[in-house]
Amino acid sequence: MIIITQEDEALIIMQITIIRPDDWHLHVRDDDALKYTVPFTAHQFSRAIIMPNLTPPNISTSQALAYRDRILAVTPEGSDFRPLMTLYLTDNTPADEIEKARQSGHVVAVKLYPAGATTNSDAGVTDITKCYKTLEALQKHNMPLLVHGEVTDPDVDVFDREKQFIDKVLTPTRKAFPELKIVFEHITTKDAVDYVLAEDKFTAATITPQHLLYNRNAIFKGGIRPHYYCLPVLKREEHRVALNKAASSGNTKFFLGTDSAPHAQNRKESACGCAGIFSAPLAIELYARAFDANNALDKLEGFASFYGADFYGIERNTETITLEKKDWVVPDSYPFLDGEIVPLHAGETESWQLV
Ligand code: NCD
Ligand code: ZN
């Protein structure tokens, strides 16, 4: 990584150049929506792990490969963006589907959504022990299990669901499969940070820009703000601080996953608004701001561009991107299907810009 600071008379230009990053957790939706979502990510990232929670979900390798083709069809010319595909785990995913997935060369992980935990998760897992044969196959093929780490019991407080998931699901699963690669996705609490730190090299975690930059006050600042609502929901400040410490520590277990989750403006600004924050247009800039605030820009490259690839066992990228410290105003919205979509930090000043 290169940091350049040029000082002219009154002007200080600061640039950083890092290996092109990857996004290890991304939603791009499907069909007509793809041309509005994929180009943003292809512009910033070299590869992205594509979440399978479509309607209906991608439960088979053949579905994942067809979905990959639809994504590649809207990838801008000249871009060598590569979508890395995932399967949606159900109570009934056959164990031999994992072998097919591995052989495809394009499906690289399997996603566990506890049934009902989040957007399009109704077909998810009702009881993890029903999937043990499939998890055994994952462990054998060295393929990561990506987990949405929240229990779904409606009696559990929404702010406590991640912590309970650690105790009720993650800990027993780890005990049953000591060498299963697990990515604890979009972690939001100090509890999750501590859990990942205490585990061995088979456990890692992704962290989103919103969970680094905001605490739960953002959802209620001056009124209810649906564009700050995602799952797992933003937490208290002490948790945000713990996530920043983990991300900017240089610990290889923590890496970038935006969880950019596009929903049309009218589906967010509603009496029952969808969960999901759209960060794809300015994802790397948001992370740069967070690392800058921690005085840890020197740790951005490992987090954004190295540790995810290393954990998945995929080669690191070689091209670079450059970011400049320069104010710009984030658009209020972007076109999306028949309407608009509102990005994170809409209408506000961002302090880093991709050159
Ligand atoms: C995601 C979505 O909209 O698909 N929403 C979200 O709030 N993160 C689903 C998910 O990853 O939980
Ligand atoms: Zn997600």
Side-chain angles (χ1 to χ4, degrees):
M1 150 159 176
I2 309 165
I3 301 187
I4 299 174
T5 312
Q6 275 173 20
E7 279 185 63
D8 286 343
E9 255 130 73
L11 191 68
I12 298 177
I13 300 171
M14 188 171 171
Q15 288 192 339
I16 60 171
T17 296
I18 60 171
I19 293 291
R20 184 177 282 278
D22 301 307
D23 185 350
W24 299 97
H25 184 128
L26 177 71
H27 303 265
V28 289
R29 312 306 180 205
D30 203 357
D31 298 325
D32 293 343
L34 292 174
K35 64 173 179 284
Y36 300 98
T37 57
V38 173
F40 286 120
T41 295
H43 184 62
Q44 298 211 334
F45 295 97
S46 183
R47 300 166 294 199
I49 289 278
I50 308 294
M51 288 293 133
N53 62 329
L54 307 179
T55 37
N58 260 326
I59 58 172
S60 70
T61 302
S62 56
Q63 281 174 311
L65 295 181
Y67 184 31
R68 177 174 178 271
D69 289 341
R70 297 195 293 279
I71 293 168
L72 287 174
V74 301
T75 299
E77 215 157 299
S79 157
D80 50 12
F81 174 70
R82 271 169 53 202
L84 306 175
M85 309 311 292
T86 58
L87 297 186
Y88 184 108
L89 186 67
T90 72
D91 288 352
N92 307 309
T93 304
D96 64 6
E97 191 63 40
I98 304 306
E99 171 133 38
K100 274 186 218 159
R102 176 54 93 202
Q103 279 172 1
S104 75
H106 297 301
V107 177
V108 304
V110 169
K111 177 70 190 265
L112 161 66
Y113 286 104
T118 185
T119 308
N120 299 342
S121 64
D122 294 348
V125 170
T126 60
D127 176 354
I128 187 78
T129 62
K130 292 189 176 165
C131 306
Y132 271 15
K133 285 238 148 27
T134 313
L135 300 192
E136 210 173 291
L138 282 174
Q139 180 172 260
K140 181 176 145 211
H141 287 283
N142 204 23
M143 187 179 273
L145 177 71
L146 317 181
V147 301
H148 182 109
E150 291 190 288
V151 295
T152 54
D153 180 348
D155 292 334
V156 177
D157 191 284
V158 71
F159 291 99
D160 297 334
R161 288 181 188 174
E162 187 171 276
K163 180 169 170 23
Q164 285 230 1
F165 184 88
I166 296 171
D167 302 333
K168 298 227 161 101
V169 184
L170 222 37
T171 302
T173 305
R174 170 53 76 213
K175 215 168 159 204
F177 302 98
E179 300 202 348
L180 173 63
K181 280 188 183 176
I182 296 178
V183 185
F184 196 168
E185 298 284 356
H186 43 52
I187 58 169
T188 63
T189 58
K190 179 171 187 308
D191 310 277
V193 169
D194 290 344
Y195 172 82
V196 173
L197 286 173
E199 285 293 308
D200 64 18
K201 63 172 183 181
F202 293 103
T203 301
T206 54
I207 306 181
T208 76
Q210 63 265 27
H211 293 104
L212 290 175
L213 290 167
Y214 307 100
N215 64 34
R216 62 194 194 176
N217 284 353
I219 310 169
F220 307 107
K221 194 174 156 198
I224 190 142
R225 294 185 172 240
H227 300 292
Y228 290 85
Y229 173 59
C230 66
L231 287 170
V233 73
L234 296 173
K235 302 294 192 302
R236 282 181 181 278
E237 178 63 7
E238 70 192 68
H239 297 295
R240 190 188 74 84
V241 169
L243 295 171
N244 276 277
K245 205 171 148 203
S248 57
S249 67
N251 187 311
T252 60
K253 289 177 162 185
F254 301 99
F255 47 84
L256 185 157
T258 62
D259 194 20
S260 177
H263 292 281
Q265 183 170 14
N266 63 337
R267 302 287 305 278
K268 293 284 294 173
E269 298 172 10
S270 143
C272 187
C274 298
I277 289 177
F278 181 53
S279 61
L282 68 158
I284 195 64
E285 290 94 335
L286 292 163
Y287 283 108
R289 173 154 56 97
F291 277 69
D292 197 4
N294 293 321
N295 280 321
L297 281 169
D298 61 323
K299 299 292 195 303
L300 178 64
E301 184 176 46
F303 175 85
S305 315
F306 297 154
Y307 307 150
D310 296 349
F311 186 81
Y312 276 76
I314 298 175
E315 76 288 359
R316 291 181 179 183
N317 298 318
T318 49
E319 337 89 89
T320 57
I321 60 163
T322 296
L323 288 149
E324 186 167 315
K325 190 157 190 176
K326 182 181 176 194
D327 284 352
W328 61 288
V329 177
V330 180
D332 291 332
S333 65
Y334 296 94
F336 184 68
L337 297 167
D338 300 333
E340 299 283 311
I341 187 164
V342 178
L344 185 57
H345 213 48
E348 300 199 49
T349 300
E350 186 52 78
S351 53
W352 282 88
Q353 188 165 33
L354 189 61
V355 176

